[in-house]
Amino acid sequence: MVKVYKPGKVAIVLQGRQAGKKVVVIKQVDDGTKERPYPHALVAGIERYPRKVTKRMGAKKLARRSKVKPFIKVVNYSHLFPTRYSVELEGLKGILSSDSFKEPTHREDSKKQIKKLLEDRYTNGKNKWFFQPLRF
């Protein structure tokens, strides 16, 4: 079978609380593990997208509207929809691992680092399509 979910691949979550949100695959587990005996992927996505900004807005308002709320999750392959797009993840690879989900403090630290990386990427203007919510 062809490996569809490679690290850096952008997908859309189909089920659950984050249904319809874009995610980036960080790590894929095609065979499953002992506690999760199904093929799944470790993903990081955007729970709350940045809001629209205009030229007239001041720096304070612009900074507030450019905030991103990320989430990290382990998602079953059957609940993901792959896209043709991919995102370079130089910084994301080292941040997230399967150990991040065992301890809540590790999870929060990982989310903060992902938030920082995503906001930097947004303010630099890279991958603009990734920071816009799906319209359907």
Side-chain angles (χ1 to χ4, degrees):
M1 193 167 115
V2 179
K3 293 189 179 188
V4 178
Y5 300 105
K6 294 184 176 112
K9 186 70 137 173
V10 175
I12 299 167
V13 180
L14 299 174
Q15 297 288 325
R17 183 181 186 179
Q18 277 88 20
K21 306 288 185 190
K22 295 175 191 166
V23 295
V24 180
V25 175
I26 307 294
K27 183 181 175 190
Q28 86 277 10
V29 184
D30 293 327
D31 301 327
T33 60
K34 189 171 260 185
E35 56 268 354
R36 294 178 198 271
Y38 49 85
H40 58 276
L42 201 66
V43 297
I46 301 176
E47 193 169 334
R48 189 168 50 234
Y49 292 93
R51 301 185 65 187
K52 185 180 173 187
V53 293
T54 61
K55 290 181 182 177
R56 294 185 60 190
M57 292 179 186
K60 188 176 176 184
K61 189 168 192 176
L62 200 134
R64 199 171 39 234
R65 285 179 155 252
S66 297
K67 293 218 183 301
V68 172
K69 184 178 181 186
F71 68 90
I72 54 174
K73 198 172 176 121
V74 177
V75 184
N76 192 333
Y77 278 178
S78 61
H79 298 161
L80 285 176
F81 184 78
T83 64
R84 64 182 177 173
Y85 301 106
S86 59
V87 175
E88 307 84 35
L89 8 117
E90 313 85 40
L92 286 175
K93 282 185 180 174
I95 295 172
L96 212 55
S97 66
S98 56
D99 301 334
S100 303
F101 293 96
K102 291 186 171 74
E103 189 70 35
T105 54
H106 294 302
R107 191 181 179 104
E108 292 302 316
D109 292 340
S110 300
K111 267 199 228 174
K112 284 178 185 171
Q113 291 174 331
I114 289 170
K115 177 180 174 131
K116 187 172 177 288
L117 283 169
L118 289 175
E119 284 178 356
D120 288 343
R121 191 168 280 261
Y122 176 71
T123 53
N124 291 338
K126 292 182 181 172
N127 306 112
K128 285 187 177 183
W129 50 268
F130 186 70
F131 296 100
Q132 295 170 348
L134 283 175
R135 308 294 295 173
F136 59 93

